Structures are given as C-alpha cells and as structure tokens.
Amino acid sequence: MRRAVLLGAADSKRTQYLKRATQQTGLSMTFLSWENWQETMGRLAQNPLLIKIDPPVWDSCILCELDSLSTDFKSQLNLLAQMADSHDIRFFNHPSAILSLLDKVQCKETLRQAGLPVTEILARTPAGNLRTETALHGMAASGMAEEPAPPLCHTSSRRMMVENAQQLLEIMRLHGIHQVFVKPVNGSGAAGVSAFRHQTHTGRMALYTCSVSHPSYGLVNTKRLRYFSRTDEILSLLDQLLQTECIIERWHPKADYQGYSYDLRVVVQDGRVDYLLARLSKGPITNLHLNNRPLDIGLLGLASPVLESVAEISVKAARQYPGLMSAGIDILLERGSLLPRIIEMNGQGDLIYQDIYHENTIYRHQAELIKRMEAP
C-alpha cells in the first residue's frame, strides 16, 4: 500500500478542500509544504509513495519576478521527477507532465499536431538568456551602451520574435489583424495578461490589463482589470511587458450571452469531463477572480453537438499527456460559429470556487482516485 502525500501550501484553499474531501472518503494523506519538503521527503521516500503536487503560493505581485519564481518551481519539479527514477514514487499528475504544460508554446504545438483546434500563437519574446545574448551582441557590434530596436526575426518554428511595442504593431500589420493577447509565459491568475486593440485607420488604441507601472518595481499585478486608451501609456506598458517572456496570440472573438463574452473552464479527470463552467465577462479577460461571472453551463442553452465537441477535444487534449490524471482546460467558442478552440491547458487547474463552496466534487473525485491508485 502506498502512502498518499500532498505537496502544496499549508493554508491554501486547495489544501483545505482536498483535506475535507479526504475526510469524506476515508483517505489518509500526509501533507508536505513547499518550504521544507526536501527535508521530509528523503525519509518518506524509503516507502512507496503516491504524490499529488499542488502549485506553490507566490506572494510577489511584481511581474519581472515571475520568470525567476517559475524557474525555481520548474527546477523543483525536475528534482521530483528525478526522485521518481530512484525511488518507488507514483504521481497523481507527473511532474514531467506539469512541466510540459508550463511550456505554453510547446503545449499548443503538441495539441495542434494532434489535430486539435487552438488559439493561434503569432509571436513570442526571446527567453531571458537569448534576450541578454542578443543585447550584448548588439552593443558589442556597435560600441554603444544602447542599441536601436532590432528588426523582427523568425524562429525555427516560423514564429516571430518581438521585444517592444513597435515590433508588435508591425507583426499585427503583417498578419492583417487589429487585436491580440499578450501573455507572460510564466505566472498564473491573469498576471500580466493583456488584450490589445489597434485600429489602423484611426490610430486609436485600447489595452485591457491587470498590470500597472510602479515607479520602483516596474509592472505589478493589481488583480483588477483596467482599461487604457492613451497611446503613450499603452506603448509604455507594452514595452515593459514585452521585457518578460511572453507569447502573442490572435484575439479570437468569443461567443456572447446577455451582453457578456464568455469562455469555458473544463476539468478533465481520469479520462472524462468532471466539471464544466462558463466564465462571463464584460471585458476580454474572463478569469473569475477578477469579479467576472460564473455561470452554470446549462443556462447558456448550447446545442448538444457543441457540448459534445467541447468534451471530445478536452478529453483528447488531456490524452496527449499520459502522466496527467487531472487537467484544467480553457476553451473559447468562436462568436457566431460556436466552434471551440483551446486557449490553454493547466496541469494544476482543479481549483474552482463554485465547486469547493458547494459540492466539492472535483476534490472528492480526486480523493477517490488517489485511494484507488494507492493499491499495489
């Protein structure tokens, strides 16, 4: 019999409600904190283990710290994966699978190659090391302390690299589009996610983002959606945002309901859709912690073929990662056609307040699955 272990944050809602589910199902579970897990893991790993990994809780709201925090988290996931190679450890969600979903570009490519519809990535910013090397090379070649904005360049996957707002505008012109999402590769909770619109015939711009510029810390996440319309403010914010590792995605118009645009959060567990919720917003960013509106999927009045298509692509997406027992998948329905597209996948997307404060079905099902997986 394996010992069930939860690795997470002691006071988080995830921990509290999974513990409540373990009490309901009679599952015995040992808790480990990210702060000192390695000290205890060595002793526990002398016996067979089954580990569920929850994400760490980050206190920082400074966007430029997201990359370093994420790098540390990824290194710990790698360490956990290595431990599984030398000890008798199984995972509810394997750390390698979680790592794969943290790579947003490669995840989209994996899904696309599997024939699944996804939102289109148009460009990305260089990773930290590549950005530094490019800047140093430019300064060395010119002998100047600063260099002008480099020209657009193509990656091996034929996606463009951008480093500033002017290059972003050029990419939009080249693609003939007037609205995009700019998303940090690292972080969660819509930190840094920005929806940008540029009307080329008038020059007017609009930016929706939770980020503001702080005189001492640069961009900070306010956890409140803000709207900017002044061109100088928008370009400055975009220039700062594009100094973090980001992807630029086509802004696909979402279906609407009673004046709200919406997308869907699908939780797939054990190879089936376990929970489905609509997220409604008056703006383009639908994360529920931004005071957006959750809605029971049945109230949308979607036709059965649409719901069947959503379920089919969600289950197929999760199937591309055999190490995942649970995944949270964000899906939009295109305005008019209601054709689904996967926005993003998350190997730790199981926390939904509308569930934990009512039936707590997601975590109860997890506890039941873990009990089943404990058996030799």
Side-chain angles (χ1 to χ4, degrees):
M1 196 77 170
R2 294 179 180 275
R3 174 182 289 188
V5 175
L6 172 63
L7 174 57
D11 298 325
S12 72
K13 289 286 192 298
R14 296 173 182 274
T15 298
Q16 293 172 15
Y17 282 87
L18 181 57
K19 284 183 174 179
R20 182 172 298 184
T22 63
Q23 294 167 1
Q24 293 171 336
T25 57
L27 171 66
S28 176
M29 200 164 202
T30 301
F31 173 77
L32 290 183
S33 170
W34 280 109
E35 295 178 358
N36 55 11
W37 70 270
Q38 295 183 52
E39 301 171 11
T40 308
M41 184 67 78
R43 174 174 54 82
L44 291 178
Q46 302 305 312
N47 300 300
L49 299 179
L50 173 59
I51 302 176
K52 179 178 188 263
I53 304 171
D54 277 349
V57 175
W58 295 334
D59 294 329
S60 176
C61 64
I62 304 171
L63 260 64
C64 67
E65 294 182 353
L66 289 179
D67 292 344
S68 61
L69 288 169
S70 180
T71 297
D72 179 67
F73 178 44
K74 291 174 184 176
S75 69
Q76 297 195 62
L77 289 174
N78 274 314
L79 180 57
L80 285 162
Q82 293 166 14
M83 290 185 68
D85 293 334
S86 56
H87 296 80
D88 188 1
I89 299 176
R90 294 177 64 189
F91 292 95
F92 184 74
N93 277 355
H94 198 281
S96 297
I98 296 172
L99 279 165
S100 295
L101 295 189
L102 289 174
D103 186 338
K104 294 183 181 180
V105 175
Q106 186 55 50
C107 178
K108 281 283 180 71
E109 185 63 17
T110 297
L111 298 177
R112 190 189 65 80
Q113 290 183 6
L116 290 164
V118 298
T119 51
E120 182 184 359
I121 296 178
L122 304 172
R124 63 178 303 175
T125 60
N129 290 338
L130 178 57
R131 185 190 304 278
T132 301
E133 290 169 6
T134 302
L136 290 174
H137 176 76
M139 287 188 286
S142 64
M144 298 172 62
E146 297 182 358
E147 61 170 332
L152 293 170
C153 63
H154 291 270
T155 67
S156 58
S157 61
R158 293 184 294 181
R159 291 194 185 90
M160 290 182 171
M161 290 287 189
V162 296
E163 297 189 43
N164 55 58
Q166 290 302 323
Q167 290 180 349
L168 174 59
L169 290 171
E170 177 64 9
I171 279 181
M172 294 171 69
R173 186 191 67 80
L174 290 172
H175 284 275
I177 60 178
H178 66 276
Q179 54 185 28
V180 296
F181 276 95
V182 182
K183 300 180 178 181
V185 169
N186 300 309
S188 61
V193 173
S194 302
F196 173 55
R197 180 180 290 121
H198 179 220
Q199 298 178 346
T200 53
H201 59 287
T202 64
R204 294 179 61 184
M205 296 182 182
L207 183 72
Y208 302 83
T209 182
C210 298
S211 301
V212 297
S213 184
H214 189 280
S216 300
Y217 303 114
L219 288 185
V220 296
N221 181 29
T222 64
K223 297 185 179 180
R224 180 168 71 85
L225 189 61
R226 299 166 185 269
Y227 170 74
F228 296 89
S229 59
R230 281 179 42 189
T231 298
D232 58 337
E233 283 187 312
I234 292 173
L235 295 179
S236 175
L237 286 168
L238 287 173
D239 277 336
Q240 293 178 74
L241 179 58
L242 292 168
Q243 294 311 300
T244 62
E245 195 173 349
C246 294
I247 56 174
I248 293 88
E249 289 189 340
R250 186 184 294 269
W251 178 347
H252 298 267
K254 297 176 180 178
D256 51 49
Y257 172 81
Q258 295 185 354
Y260 293 85
S261 63
Y262 70 87
D263 60 19
L264 310 175
R265 165 58 66 91
V266 186
V267 178
V268 176
Q269 300 199 127
D270 195 26
R272 65 182 182 85
V273 173
D274 203 14
Y275 201 88
L276 180 56
L277 182 75
R279 308 184 302 181
L280 280 63
S281 174
K282 287 293 187 180
I285 300 174
T286 57
N287 296 64
L288 292 178
H289 71 279
L290 301 179
N291 293 321
N292 289 320
R293 177 185 171 190
L295 187 73
D296 184 290
I297 191 69
L299 297 177
L300 291 175
L302 295 171
S304 294
V306 175
L307 293 173
E308 290 167 3
S309 180
V310 168
E312 180 182 354
I313 69 171
S314 299
V315 170
K316 185 175 179 181
R319 199 180 297 142
Q320 305 310 306
Y321 298 91
L324 287 180
M325 185 62 72
S326 174
I329 304 172
D330 295 336
I331 294 180
L332 68 79
L333 301 177
E334 290 193 358
R335 186 178 301 161
S337 67
L338 297 184
L339 291 174
R341 286 183 182 270
I342 296 175
I343 304 170
E344 187 169 297
M345 280 187 70
N346 191 326
Q348 296 169 314
D350 53 10
L351 176 64
I352 298 181
Y353 288 167
Q354 288 66 38
D355 178 47
I356 62 173
Y357 293 149
H358 292 90
E359 300 297 324
N360 202 27
T361 56
I362 295 171
Y363 287 141
R364 182 161 43 81
H365 290 166
Q366 285 188 9
E368 292 167 354
L369 287 169
I370 291 169
K371 281 188 72 174
R372 192 177 76 199
M373 295 170 68
E374 279 184 317

